[in-house]
Amino acid sequence: IALLSFIICQGLNNGTPIYLSYSGGTNLYAGLLILEFSLAAAAARIFIGQRIDRSSRRSVMLAGAVITLAGSFGAVLQPDMAFQVLYRALQGLGFGLCTTASSTAAADIVPLDRLGEGLGYYGLGQSLGMVIGPSLGVVLVSFSWHESLFAGMSVLSLALIAAVLGCTYEKHPERLDPTCAYRLGRTRRRPAADGAIGEAVAPDRADEGACVSGSPGDAPAAAGSAGAPGAAPAPAGMRRGLGALFEIAAVPGALPMLISCFGYSVITNFVSKYGVEQGLPNPGLFFICAAATM
């Protein structure tokens, strides 16, 4: 799921500036559309977080995949440049929903003693997507029918929907490793459902995938989904103000990502267009080298 999401994201981010240049657009307009994509994805991550924690990861991923399809296929049906503002917003929203929920799902099912290793392999899906996506985007947009870029990403969006539909671990938790965060979270939720601890999660949501940490002693076992070790966060419904939207414990890890991605994105979003303008035969080689080192 991460692989397909990042192929679509990077393919669109690298192919759209080239598409706009063929259609008479400017670099400034292309940059603004990339900014719009990023803001839409960021907004999705902020506001969907509670929903992911309190309901099904699969439903959020599915919504994101469908929205991504709408943003890609819309550009095939109506390729007017003015509509790119709408399409980029939908693409960013869908990407933000799908990747946030899929990373949570990955943390759900990886055995506790292999959490770092497992999430590293999840990240490998992102890295491979960052190799395939830009190269594929450049190839597709180079056809005489430049909307091939959006048609190809629409096909991949359909494949993404199919992959999400196959994510059924929430319905079959017994198949998961007993030490994974999802099964541990279900075990701790049962007393709350019976009223012994309090209604952290409603009883009718017991099978939908919410993970709420129990006592401070249990927190390390659920660190993959419930927060920092040793913390016992209150249920999302009890939080107020900024605490209802932002998990402060995630900020220290987010800051290095902010700095590294800021520098990296400036290059990756335009290096394909730059390579094409310079007449390089294979600008996608940049992404192959980058992903190989990652």
Side-chain angles (χ1 to χ4, degrees):
I1 292 171
L3 173 66
L4 289 169
S5 296
F6 274 83
I7 290 176
I8 296 168
C9 165
Q10 294 297 330
L12 290 169
N13 279 353
N14 283 268
T16 299
I18 301 174
Y19 175 80
L20 293 177
S21 67
Y22 288 145
S23 304
T26 64
N27 286 337
L28 175 61
Y29 187 49
L32 291 174
L33 290 180
I34 291 175
L35 174 62
E36 180 192 16
F37 178 96
S38 301
L39 291 176
R45 295 183 190 281
I46 292 172
F47 292 102
I48 203 61
Q50 284 193 33
R51 175 65 182 173
I52 294 173
D53 286 336
R54 300 175 68 177
S55 68
S56 168
R57 285 82 155 113
R58 182 174 181 259
S59 64
V60 175
M61 285 189 287
L62 184 59
V66 171
I67 293 172
T68 301
L69 174 61
S72 300
F73 194 60
V76 179
L77 298 177
Q78 180 55 265
D80 192 294
M81 271 212 308
F83 283 92
Q84 283 291 334
V85 175
L86 171 62
Y87 303 146
R88 293 300 282 162
L90 291 174
Q91 293 161 10
L93 178 61
F95 176 75
L97 294 178
C98 203
T99 54
T100 305
S102 66
S103 62
T104 306
D108 271 351
I109 66 175
V110 174
L112 179 62
D113 60 348
R114 305 185 72 181
L115 184 61
E117 179 186 357
L119 294 184
Y121 278 107
Y122 171 85
L124 181 61
Q126 300 179 3
S127 299
L128 292 175
M130 293 171 68
V131 179
I132 301 170
S135 302
L136 180 61
V138 171
V139 169
L140 291 175
V141 79
S142 299
F143 290 132
S144 56
W145 183 52
H146 302 309
E147 284 75 22
S148 296
L149 169 67
F150 306 112
M153 297 306 154
S154 298
V155 173
L156 288 176
S157 297
L158 290 172
L160 177 60
I161 291 173
V164 170
L165 291 176
C167 182
T168 59
Y169 74 90
E170 292 166 312
K171 295 181 179 180
H172 304 285
E174 70 281 356
R175 300 176 183 175
L176 301 177
D177 187 279
T179 67
C180 71
Y182 186 74
R183 290 192 65 174
L184 293 175
R186 285 172 56 88
T187 301
R188 281 191 299 276
R189 276 201 316 277
R190 286 175 185 144
D194 296 336
I197 295 177
E199 295 206 318
V201 179
D204 61 347
R205 293 292 182 89
D207 292 330
E208 290 187 357
C211 293
V212 178
S213 64
S215 65
D218 290 337
S225 64
M238 295 174 58
R239 301 185 182 186
R240 297 291 183 269
L242 288 177
L245 287 179
F246 295 97
E247 177 50 66
I248 303 302
V251 171
L255 288 177
M257 288 293 293
L258 173 67
I259 296 170
S260 61
C261 289
F262 181 84
Y264 189 65
S265 63
V266 172
I267 299 172
T268 56
N269 286 323
F270 282 99
V271 71
S272 293
K273 186 174 188 296
Y274 175 76
V276 170
E277 290 176 346
Q278 296 300 311
L280 299 180
N282 184 20
L285 184 61
F286 172 91
F287 297 95
I288 296 175
C289 295
T293 54
M294 281 190 282

